[in-house]
Amino acid sequence: MSSEKEKAIVISRQERGHQDNKQPLSSLLPLPHLHSVSPGSACPPSDQVFLQAAAIFQQLGRVKPEPHQVLQYENRTDTPPHSSDDKATQKQAYQLAFNTLKYQDLLEAVIFDSFFHKSQNIYSDLLPLAMVMLYDFQDRRFLLRRRPAEGEQKAVAEVRDLEKCLQRWKVKLAASLARFRVKHSLRSVSCFLSDSLRTKEHRAKSLPFYAWVNTLNSSLDEICEILQSANLSEVKNMADLTGSTFSKDPLCPDTLIFSRSLCKPLQSSALTTTHVLNIQDRSVCLAVSVSQPVLFDRRDVLVAGSFSALTVAHVAAAAAARSGRVLVCGADHTPVQTEEMKNLLSQMEIKNVKVLPAAFCRLNERDIAVQRLKVIIVLPQCSSSALNDPVTTMHSEHGDWNLLPDLSHGSISKSKIFSLTTQQARLLAHALSFPKVQTVVYCTRSVCPEENEQLVGRVLEKTHTHPKLLPFRVNGPIFPDDAASGDETDSRFFRLQPSQFTNGCFIARLSRQVDPTKVESVQDVLARAAAKGLLGGIISEPSKPAKKSKRKKKRVASSTSRPSSPSSQEEPEAAEISDGVDPAPPSEDEDKEGEEKEGEENEAEGKDSKTKSEKKKKRKSKRNQKQSSDAASLKNQAKGQKKKAKRKVNPSQHSKPRRIPRLTLTLMSAEKPSRHLSPITALAHKISGKPVKKLEEDSAPVLEKHLSHAQSAPQTASERKNMQPEEEERNLEKQRSRSGNVRKTQGAPTAAGHILPPISSPSGSVARPQSPTSSHQLASSSSASLREL
């Protein structure tokens, strides 16, 4: 790389204001030229790798029934195999043990057919070591292992002695292998495996690897310029990858793809050792990429399940762009894993990660640490059946090594699937139980429906959502529009099938959403908003219509039976104003029905001990006998008026005057009234000018108050002459007869207490004020007809 680009492309901590002892990335440049390395030139296993692989094979090897046992191994112990502190050695040992498990039957047949274990006096405790060394020996085509120089590695006597025995017996071992291939018609040793295992093994040898860029220190474009300066060229499609090319991941915006031959040189480069580039499986990178669009500003995201320190760092880098924080439950990991996580975060200078002391399933919504939690990423332990090479991912993401025997045969037992799905459902259900969480991302590296869409659907059906919260629903991942990578996607879930370019995975993103099949009305939306308190009292709760109508009936009944005081005149008006609609003037039939109903209601007030059934019977009998019901209703009205007249009424409580309907005012004040006038209107016109006795002195203030709010009715002789004599005369005779009966019952003081509000004059007519005497005369003549209405 030229010196000008080295100075221009600086990914340093000095520019960010860090004054620490760590060297900037510019000092790691120039980047050495990266040259591809063939897979066959990998370093052979060391003595320590053989010992660890033998211990892993003995622990995980498949135990056959006694009639089918070819070799007698030493009894298996429950203690886990000793793991080396060196990550590379541990990974290589598990890889060797996994390959030996895949070819266990073939290797046992070769040792038994060549009499190797009997001729070389190989005891049962050394048979696991002989199995792993024989696999490596035949994989190198029975060539000698290139040993490291003295002092670089510690020599193990058992390994060196067994290696010499294999060299002495290699001809017979090769002959036994050839006979086995002929017997089973195998074109190669790999044909011994099933088609699915052989395909995965072939893909794993040429599978490209993925590395995400630490965006806290650099950008994707800057890293691409550095790689191009190291004689690497960028290609658009990952299918065009060769030994000296790289490509950008179309689904992950911060991830680069490299060919398998560049893995070793890039791992030893400064970009990887300083964690500017971080090699990781694509399935984990996709889970973080799906979570990025749903992150909230200054909110938390929690990672639950089984994952590595690199996964936490990747999520923290994505959350830092939104000033968010990452939560990790430390009780779900071993102390070694927690310490490894803290060390890596310290090296990468990531400070937005908080390790909680509690386990994830013990957290609840009331914990202070999760009050800002909005997103949860669930990465549970899975069967890893979608991985071409499960050892690499399981080693980096702390997978379950007990799955290797099932994976070596290409199928997972039902008991393992049941135990895995139980734990996965527990994690997912607990993630959906937080009310403040808006999105849950669920990711597995499995092709089993029991771990993927079936589990998600089952958990969603059993999840109970609070009525004030929206339920969780499956929401497809959001990826760039130009992500034409041949991956299988649909609207609900994201499935990435294993191929020669990538491992497989399954991702489900669950978000709180409204049911798209349910059409919600405006009233439902307003009711839910009012229940949450979002309207702030703008819309009050709707009152019950049944109670309101019942209350209105009681108020109207009490107003008809109460004396004609100012308060009694204003109460019916308040009911009319509350309805907001002026009632139409009643007809003659309606007046008769109203009189019957009022008499029945007053009778119910006077006789509270009567049951509802008795009232119904009386109503039927009174409908058949109209004449008797009229007399009984008048008598009950008189009784109710005497009782209610004793009550004290405060006139100051009622401030609004009674409002007379517009249609009634027009008909009453017209010079030529209509033939279809109501009885009360005709009565008002007829008796408006007749003299009456003077009022008592205590009723004068009340009269003056009503006269101030209304205009006087026209009392000219021409107006009275224009009235229809025949029809009005009949109505007046009826009303006078009824009013006479009431006067006999009530007496003069009660009749004088009822006042009819003055009638306002129509537009264009001249109104003259009435005297108190004429107003009382009008009231005394029409008091009985008002009560009957």
Side-chain angles (χ1 to χ4, degrees):
M1 179 171 45
S2 62
S3 59
E4 294 180 357
K5 284 192 175 182
E6 293 175 16
K7 296 178 181 179
I9 307 170
V10 176
I11 313 168
S12 63
R13 299 179 180 89
Q14 294 177 354
E15 292 183 354
R16 300 177 181 269
H18 296 279
Q19 301 294 333
D20 50 9
N21 297 327
K22 296 187 178 182
Q23 57 181 351
L25 188 60
S26 58
S27 62
L28 303 175
L29 303 175
L31 185 70
H33 293 283
L34 300 177
H35 300 284
S36 61
V37 179
S38 60
S41 60
C43 180
S46 61
D47 295 351
Q48 296 295 329
V49 172
F50 280 127
L51 285 178
Q52 290 189 30
I56 295 170
F57 175 79
Q58 184 179 2
Q59 183 71 22
L60 301 178
R62 183 162 49 94
V63 179
K64 300 179 182 180
E66 290 187 0
H68 300 282
Q69 286 183 357
V70 179
L71 301 178
Q72 299 292 332
Y73 296 98
E74 192 179 13
N75 293 332
R76 181 181 300 177
T77 59
D78 295 335
T79 58
H82 175 70
S83 58
S84 176
D85 295 335
D86 187 9
K87 295 295 182 181
T89 301
Q90 184 182 11
K91 176 184 174 181
Q92 196 174 8
Y94 273 102
Q95 188 70 58
L96 182 58
F98 178 66
N99 292 333
T100 306
L101 288 172
K102 290 190 293 184
Y103 292 94
Q104 180 178 354
D105 294 341
L106 184 147
L107 297 175
E108 288 178 352
V110 169
I111 291 177
F112 182 80
D113 184 68
S114 62
F115 295 96
F116 173 73
H117 60 300
K118 294 182 178 180
S119 61
Q120 302 297 323
N121 296 326
I122 306 298
Y123 297 102
S124 59
D125 59 340
L126 290 178
L127 281 177
L129 181 60
M131 290 284 289
V132 296
M133 294 187 70
L134 177 59
Y135 171 79
D136 180 71
F137 194 35
Q138 67 83 25
D139 190 47
R140 289 185 283 108
R141 302 183 184 276
F142 298 99
L143 298 177
L144 289 175
R145 177 176 60 120
R146 182 174 58 86
R147 296 179 181 178
E150 294 183 2
E152 292 183 2
Q153 293 181 358
K154 183 180 179 180
V156 181
E158 293 85 354
V159 176
R160 299 296 174 89
D161 294 341
L162 192 57
E163 188 176 15
K164 293 178 181 179
C165 295
L166 291 172
Q167 287 291 335
R168 289 195 299 266
W169 214 255
K170 68 176 183 179
V171 176
K172 293 184 178 181
L173 291 172
S176 297
L177 180 60
R179 287 194 295 270
F180 186 88
R181 290 175 57 187
V182 172
K183 181 180 179 179
H184 294 85
S185 303
L186 302 178
R187 298 180 58 183
S188 62
V189 177
S190 62
C191 294
F192 172 76
L193 304 175
S194 61
D195 294 339
S196 60
L197 285 177
R198 186 169 63 253
T199 302
K200 287 184 177 181
E201 187 179 70
H202 177 71
R203 290 173 179 172
K205 294 179 179 179
S206 59
L207 188 70
F209 67 96
Y210 297 77
W212 57 273
V213 179
N214 184 10
T215 54
L216 298 177
N217 296 332
S218 180
S219 65
L220 188 68
D221 296 335
E222 291 176 343
I223 298 301
C224 291
E225 292 183 12
I226 294 176
L227 295 174
Q228 291 173 359
S229 301
N231 294 334
L232 295 181
S233 58
E234 180 182 355
V235 294
K236 297 297 182 182
N237 195 349
M238 65 175 65
D240 300 332
L241 286 175
T242 57
S244 59
T245 57
F246 69 93
S247 178
K248 295 179 181 178
D249 194 329
L251 300 181
C252 304
D254 59 349
T255 305
L256 296 175
I257 312 173
F258 300 91
S259 62
R260 175 59 58 178
S261 58
L262 289 175
C263 183
K264 290 295 181 180
L266 197 60
Q267 283 180 343
S268 58
S269 65
L271 292 176
T272 307
T273 55
T274 56
H275 299 289
V276 176
L277 275 179
N278 301 274
I279 299 175
Q280 200 170 16
D281 187 67
R282 193 190 189 193
S283 60
V284 185
C285 298
L286 285 171
V288 179
S289 178
V290 171
S291 307
Q292 283 181 347
V294 296
L295 294 179
F296 289 81
D297 293 337
R298 301 183 182 277
R299 290 297 181 264
D300 296 344
V301 52
L302 188 144
V303 187
S306 179
F307 47 86
S308 63
L310 277 178
T311 303
V312 180
H314 196 184
V315 177
R322 298 288 188 92
S323 300
R325 186 178 59 171
V326 180
L327 303 179
V328 179
C329 298
D332 295 335
H333 306 272
T334 61
V336 177
Q337 295 174 357
T338 306
E339 190 65 26
E340 176 189 355
M341 186 185 306
K342 292 180 179 179
N343 293 336
L344 179 64
L345 297 176
S346 178
Q347 293 176 10
M348 300 179 67
E349 294 186 347
I350 294 177
K351 299 180 181 180
N352 60 332
V353 177
K354 181 179 181 180
V355 180
L356 304 179
F360 173 67
C361 292
R362 293 187 177 272
L363 291 176
N364 54 62
E365 59 184 20
R366 294 181 296 273
D367 291 338
I368 301 177
V370 296
Q371 295 305 310
R372 299 195 308 168
L373 184 61
K374 292 294 183 182
V375 180
I376 298 179
I377 303 176
V378 182
L379 302 172
Q381 286 190 350
C382 58
S383 61
S384 301
S385 55
L387 300 176
N388 294 314
D389 184 13
V391 173
T392 303
T393 305
M394 292 173 66
H395 178 261
S396 61
E397 302 298 329
H398 306 298
D400 187 8
W401 295 115
N402 293 323
L403 294 171
L404 288 182
D406 293 318
L407 293 174
S408 63
H409 294 86
S411 62
I412 309 296
S413 62
K414 293 183 179 180
S415 60
K416 291 286 182 64
I417 290 291
F418 178 77
S419 61
L420 288 173
T421 53
T422 302
Q423 181 65 18
Q424 291 164 359
R426 182 186 178 192
L427 291 176
L428 182 58
H430 189 65
L432 298 177
S433 65
F434 292 88
K436 294 185 179 180
V437 172
Q438 299 298 320
T439 303
V440 175
V441 178
Y442 176 78
C443 176
T444 64
R445 293 174 287 272
S446 173
V447 295
C448 302
E450 297 85 354
E451 302 178 78
N452 299 338
E453 58 269 17
Q454 293 182 6
L455 184 138
V456 173
R458 187 172 70 252
V459 172
L460 286 177
E461 289 177 358
K462 296 181 179 179
T463 302
H464 299 284
T465 307
H466 194 274
K468 293 184 179 180
L469 299 177
L470 293 175
F472 279 100
R473 302 188 186 278
V474 180
N475 182 17
I478 302 173
F479 287 114
D481 297 335
D482 56 349
S485 58
D487 302 325
E488 180 182 354
T489 59
D490 57 19
S491 58
R492 302 192 67 220
F493 304 107
F494 176 78
R495 297 181 183 88
L496 186 62
Q497 299 295 336
S499 63
Q500 58 181 342
F501 302 110
T502 179
N503 290 321
C505 68
F506 170 85
I507 300 177
R509 191 173 69 183
L510 312 177
S511 303
R512 294 191 184 274
Q513 294 179 347
V514 182
D515 189 1
T517 60
K518 180 181 178 181
V519 180
E520 205 169 18
S521 62
V522 179
Q523 290 78 6
D524 296 339
V525 176
L526 293 176
R528 188 173 66 252
K532 293 181 179 180
L534 300 178
L535 299 181
I538 299 175
I539 299 180
S540 60
E541 295 183 358
S543 60
K544 296 182 180 180
K547 294 185 178 179
K548 184 176 180 181
S549 60
K550 189 175 181 181
R551 191 184 302 113
K552 187 189 298 184
K553 287 182 179 179
K554 290 183 178 179
R555 292 176 63 182
V556 173
S558 63
S559 63
T560 55
S561 62
R562 194 175 295 176
S564 181
S565 62
S567 61
S568 64
Q569 292 179 358
E570 293 169 1
E571 286 180 359
E573 178 60 24
E576 294 179 3
I577 295 174
S578 65
D579 293 340
V581 180
D582 292 339
S587 61
E588 295 181 359
D589 297 336
E590 291 176 352
D591 291 340
K592 293 180 181 180
E593 293 177 3
E595 292 173 1
E596 295 176 2
K597 291 181 180 178
E598 288 176 5
E600 292 172 4
E601 290 175 358
N602 293 331
E603 183 181 2
E605 292 178 0
K607 299 178 181 181
D608 297 329
S609 60
K610 292 182 179 181
T611 59
K612 294 183 179 179
S613 61
E614 293 176 353
K615 291 181 180 180
K616 291 182 179 179
K617 292 180 180 179
K618 286 189 175 183
R619 288 175 183 173
K620 292 181 180 179
S621 63
K622 289 181 179 179
R623 289 175 183 172
N624 298 330
Q625 301 175 357
K626 292 184 179 180
Q627 295 178 356
S628 61
S629 64
D630 293 336
S633 63
L634 294 173
K635 185 181 294 184
N636 292 331
Q637 286 178 2
K639 291 181 180 180
Q641 288 175 0
K642 288 181 180 180
K643 291 181 180 179
K644 294 182 179 180
K646 297 179 182 179
R647 299 178 184 176
K648 294 183 179 180
V649 181
N650 188 8
S652 62
Q653 295 178 356
H654 305 279
S655 59
K656 295 183 179 180
R658 178 170 179 176
R659 228 175 65 189
I660 299 178
R662 294 181 180 178
L663 183 57
T664 305
L665 291 172
T666 307
L667 293 174
M668 293 174 65
S669 59
E671 295 182 357
K672 295 182 179 181
S674 175
R675 294 184 178 180
H676 302 283
L677 293 175
S678 61
I680 183 60
T681 307
L683 178 63
H685 280 281
K686 190 68 178 177
I687 66 176
S688 60
K690 292 184 178 182
V692 294
K693 295 182 179 181
K694 293 184 178 180
L695 292 173
E696 296 178 2
E697 295 178 0
D698 55 351
S699 63
V702 179
L703 179 61
E704 292 176 359
K705 181 179 178 180
H706 283 280
L707 289 175
S708 62
H709 291 286
Q711 295 179 354
S712 60
Q715 300 294 331
T716 59
S718 60
E719 293 178 353
R720 290 195 298 270
K721 290 180 180 180
N722 290 333
M723 296 177 60
Q724 298 293 333
E726 297 177 359
E727 184 177 356
E728 297 301 331
E729 201 61 33
R730 288 195 300 268
N731 294 333
L732 286 174
E733 290 295 330
K734 291 182 181 179
Q735 299 298 334
R736 288 174 182 174
S737 62
R738 292 179 183 176
S739 62
N741 295 332
V742 175
R743 286 173 185 171
K744 291 179 182 180
T745 308
Q746 294 180 350
T750 308
H754 293 274
I755 300 174
L756 181 66
I759 303 173
S760 60
S761 61
S763 60
S765 63
V766 180
R768 61 182 180 182
Q770 270 187 334
S771 63
T773 305
S774 62
S775 300
H776 267 283
Q777 177 185 355
L778 177 63
S780 61
S781 303
S782 60
S783 59
S785 60
L786 279 175
R787 287 194 302 273
E788 290 171 1
L789 286 175

